[in-house]
Amino acid sequence: MSSTAADVVRLLTVRGETLAVAESLTGGLVAAGITSVPGASRAFRGSVTAYATELKRDLLGVDGELLTARGAVDPQVAAQMAAGVRKALGADWGIATTGVAGPDPQDGQPVGTVFVAVDGPFAGDDGSARGGKVEALRLNGDRAEIRMESVRSVLALLMRGLAGEQTGNERAQDTERNGGFDVCSPE
């Protein structure tokens, strides 16, 4: 169990909030990390491992035209996955991973291209990706390393979202350029 997963469960439990997870390249590793924490059932609603592109559309509500135009490895897809799983599983927070773990490129994206997203009860929340944040990652390493770093990164992004919400910090959004959600590089 990671300390970040334990911190996520602890903070969500204290706040009385819940989490849902949508995974692609991580194939259930995020959910496994969360559920390895004793007491996770108080905060964890469930997960959807939508490995196939059409499942992102059919189960998570990702826009089919977006998937056709850009493929599954895209920041807007990640944002819609997080918002979609949050809505589908009735959670306060949704997180998502999509990307290329290798060994081959996918959707015109090189190995190591990953997008992680969080969607939560931010100010003005209406359950849409406008309340979310996406982080673009360029990871090195083998398939296992890329997948594990994706898990670490999405949990860290969620912790920053929880901390920002807890302290009332406002986020700057570039809604024109990024379709209503923040896209940032790792810190």
Side-chain angles (χ1 to χ4, degrees):
M1 134 184 56
S2 80
S3 63
T4 305
D7 289 343
V8 163
V9 169
R10 180 190 53 77
L11 191 51
L12 286 168
T13 301
V14 165
R15 293 166 57 137
E17 294 178 338
T18 56
L19 173 66
V21 177
E23 300 186 66
S24 186
L25 85 147
T26 51
L29 292 173
V30 177
I34 294 291
T35 59
S36 72
V37 177
S41 62
R42 290 186 289 251
F44 186 65
R45 296 278 302 154
S47 65
V48 174
T49 301
Y51 213 65
T53 299
E54 67 272 10
L55 294 179
K56 292 171 181 67
R57 180 193 66 225
D58 297 344
L59 296 178
L60 299 173
V62 176
D63 182 282
E65 291 180 14
L66 173 64
L67 289 166
T68 299
R70 297 191 191 167
V73 183
D74 180 82
Q76 287 185 336
V77 169
Q80 289 184 18
M81 287 173 65
V85 78
R86 178 180 173 217
K87 181 179 177 183
L89 301 186
D92 297 301
W93 295 87
I95 58 176
T97 63
T98 187
V100 185
D104 300 315
Q106 178 186 335
D107 296 334
Q109 299 285 353
V111 172
T113 301
V114 175
F115 297 98
V116 296
V118 62
D119 190 78
F122 300 107
D125 182 48
D126 63 1
S128 72
R130 287 194 305 270
K133 187 165 188 163
V134 175
E135 187 170 272
L137 307 172
R138 300 291 179 257
L139 303 176
N140 295 313
D142 64 21
R143 183 174 174 80
E145 291 168 326
I146 289 169
R147 293 174 76 215
M148 289 312 297
E149 182 57 26
S150 298
V151 171
R152 189 203 64 74
S153 295
V154 77
L155 292 175
L157 183 62
L158 175 59
M159 279 302 295
R160 289 193 300 274
L162 288 166
E165 180 71 11
Q166 187 175 32
T167 61
N169 292 340
E170 295 299 320
R171 301 172 298 104
Q173 290 193 56
D174 180 3
T175 57
E176 293 298 317
R177 200 176 107 225
N178 295 316
F181 55 90
D182 291 343
V183 176
C184 60
S185 297
E187 297 176 35

